[in-house]
Amino acid sequence: MTDPVAVAEELAPKLAARADAHDATGDFPAADVADLRGAGLLGLMVPERLGGLGAGFATYTRVAQALARGAGATALVFNMHASVTGALASVPEDLARQLGAGDAFFAQRDRLLAAAAQGALYGVGITERGAGSRLHALRTTYAREGEGYRLRGRKSTCSGAGHLDGYLVAAKAEHAVDDPDGPVSHFLVPAEAIGEVEDTWDVQGMRATASNGFALDCHVSAEALLGGIEGVAGLLAYGLPQWLVASYAAVYAGVARAAVDAGAAHVAERTVAGQEGGLGQVGWVRQRLGRADAQAEAARLTLEEAGRLVDHAPGEPATNAMIYRAKLLSGDAARDAADAVAEACGLAALRRGHPLERLVRDARSGPVMPPSSDLAADVLATARLGLDPVHGTDVRPW
Ligand SMILES: Cc1cc2nc3c(=O)[nH]c(=O)nc-3n(C[C@H](O)[C@H](O)[C@H](O)COP(=O)(O)OP(=O)(O)OC[C@H]3O[C@@H](n4cnc5c(N)ncnc54)[C@H](O)[C@@H]3O)c2cc1C
């Protein structure tokens, strides 16, 4: 059987070779995605019976880290696709049937997963201006229409928008849009049903993710409702947060490691006037590199433990705490390691074309992506203090 981590490690240098060009133009990394498709990685989370590799969460985190060491933006597009396919593949059938999901849902789920194994690419549209990714505050709505649903609204940020075959869209029940406790559901919307994509993504880092916005006013079939039951988005966010939280952690743990690697490569070959042996002879430069290495490894180990727990004890409080720790530590490690190492390397690392220059910008998104580092820390402390995770503080996480 193919080892997907080895496949990703083999692809990473190819992605790295294109990363600067993609970053400079902000173009969607089509050649990278074609490579992922060719290598079968779009089917990573798809069960083997449907033509995929049948990976678990821990394997996903290793694959995403390996890809991110090549190109963070491509790894982020991959992470969104893996989140959709991974969440779909891991729906516990008994529980879903108990909650009311019927045969039509399972048939549709299998079709979507089989299509991913054949190369279809999916993305996630949750974020809206004003609401961010706080599900309870979304203004995109769904309402029953005939046999299916009508979706209306506008999403501000969706990695890969305009290049996807399907969009996972989070929407709130129209009748309860002003109620913070109103039901929120996920729909898998086919590309043809999405309105015009706004080509507005021009940001500091992770430029090659094409994280554009789009408008929605479309009818979707009843099977587009993920899980086959309304109102599960909030339950998943609080109860099984791995895909919403720790999937990004894998990308930023990889970015943190890439920053250490790029710093070490620069330090090893850089000569300094009057300092025989080069930059590596300067004590504080080594210290910065050493601290960055420790931070990147602490993030990786926490993520590894989160992956192990997700695969063996999903939904347990200890698992969910490890998921939030992994996101917090990875986002911070990427930002801190890239900043510290780049500063130690001097002006060269600030010049366009140097890998660290891009990594510093890419890494800034780590603590911002949901849940932000501040929010992840708050969720951990809320649990530690025994407060209600939804209503127990002044900030409602999702
Ligand atoms: C590279 C990249 C790729 C992305 N890709 C996707 C994607 O594919 N799909 C997608 O859906 N989204 C995507 N996003 C968007 C991402 O999910 C959002 O950046 C995130 O949800 C935060 O939203 P925001 O940046 O608008 O911040 P805001 O929600 O505006 O928050 C800004 C700050 O204010 C705080 N804040 C504001 N209001 C409140 C409040 N009421 N309660 C508590 N705190 C508050 C926040 O904690 C934060 O510190 C991407 C973002 C990046 C950077």
Side-chain angles (χ1 to χ4, degrees), residues 188-270:
L188 209 288
V189 181
E192 356 16 301
I194 295 288
E196 202 180 322
V197 172
E198 302 152 0
D199 190 7
T200 51
W201 184 251
D202 183 8
V203 291
Q204 184 191 31
M206 293 294 186
R207 291 175 48 75
T209 55
S211 299
N212 294 304
F214 57 86
L216 270 172
D217 186 355
C218 62
H219 175 88
V220 292
S221 68
E223 288 75 41
L225 173 67
L226 285 194
I229 320 142
E230 291 183 27
V232 291
L235 294 176
L236 281 178
Y238 286 98
L240 295 166
Q242 48 266 34
W243 287 111
L244 199 55
V245 174
S247 62
Y248 309 117
V251 173
Y252 290 99
V255 169
R257 181 48 62 191
V260 177
D261 291 348
H266 182 89
V267 168
E269 58 118 44
R270 177 78 175 171

Side-chain angles (χ1 to χ4, degrees), residues 76 80 124-128 130-134 157-159 201 205-206 209 211 248 252 365 368-370 372 374-375 394-396:
L76 210 43
M80 299 299 175
V124 176
I126 296 177
T127 304
E128 295 174 11
S133 53
R134 291 175 290 277
T157 325
C158 170
S159 294
W201 184 251
M206 293 294 186
T209 55
S211 299
Y248 309 117
Y252 290 99
S365 295
V368 168
M369 290 195 75
S372 67
D374 290 335
L375 181 58
D394 53 346
V395 173
R396 188 171 171 145

Side-chain angles (χ1 to χ4, degrees), residues 275-293:
Q275 192 73 54
E276 208 169 318
L279 207 52
Q281 291 299 311
V282 181
W284 62 77
V285 168
R286 288 197 309 279
Q287 281 191 34
R288 278 178 180 259
L289 205 52
R291 284 178 200 279
D293 172 76

Side-chain angles (χ1 to χ4, degrees), residues 22-264:
H22 288 147
D23 171 71
T25 58
D27 285 343
F28 180 75
D32 291 0
V33 173
D35 279 347
L36 301 181
R37 189 176 281 122
L41 289 180
L42 297 188
L44 180 71
M45 306 309 299
V46 177
E48 287 174 279
R49 73 180 170 85
L50 297 171
L53 299 176
F57 193 78
T59 301
Y60 158 75
T61 65
R62 291 183 207 121
V63 169
Q65 284 178 84
L67 296 176
R69 288 175 78 168
T74 301
L76 210 43
V77 171
F78 173 74
N79 134 82
M80 299 299 175
H81 171 82
S83 299
V84 177
T85 51
L88 270 176
S90 61
V91 173
E93 187 155 343
D94 291 353
L95 180 68
R97 283 198 188 277
Q98 270 170 34
L99 290 170
D103 290 342
F105 158 68
F106 290 104
Q108 172 74 347
R109 178 194 67 172
D110 286 359
R111 268 196 298 279
L112 292 167
L113 288 171
Q118 293 297 312
L121 182 68
Y122 304 134
V124 176
I126 296 177
T127 304
E128 295 174 11
R129 239 163 243 132
S133 53
R134 291 175 290 277
L135 295 169
H136 71 272
L138 297 180
R139 305 300 297 174
T140 294
T141 59
Y142 69 88
R144 271 284 183 189
E145 185 181 70
E147 294 292 300
Y149 295 91
R150 176 142 298 262
L151 301 182
R152 286 195 191 86
R154 186 173 286 277
K155 295 293 177 182
S156 63
T157 325
C158 170
S159 294
H163 305 268
L164 304 170
D165 299 292
Y167 295 69
L168 180 141
V169 168
K172 214 158 171 202
E174 191 180 70
H175 64 83
V177 70
D178 293 320
D179 174 1
D181 294 317
V184 181
S185 303
H186 289 310
F187 295 84
L188 209 288
V189 181
E192 356 16 301
I194 295 288
E196 202 180 322
V197 172
E198 302 152 0
D199 190 7
T200 51
W201 184 251
D202 183 8
V203 291
Q204 184 191 31
M206 293 294 186
R207 291 175 48 75
T209 55
S211 299
N212 294 304
F214 57 86
L216 270 172
D217 186 355
C218 62
H219 175 88
V220 292
S221 68
E223 288 75 41
L225 173 67
L226 285 194
I229 320 142
E230 291 183 27
V232 291
L235 294 176
L236 281 178
Y238 286 98
L240 295 166
Q242 48 266 34
W243 287 111
L244 199 55
V245 174
S247 62
Y248 309 117
V251 173
Y252 290 99
V255 169
R257 181 48 62 191
V260 177
D261 291 348

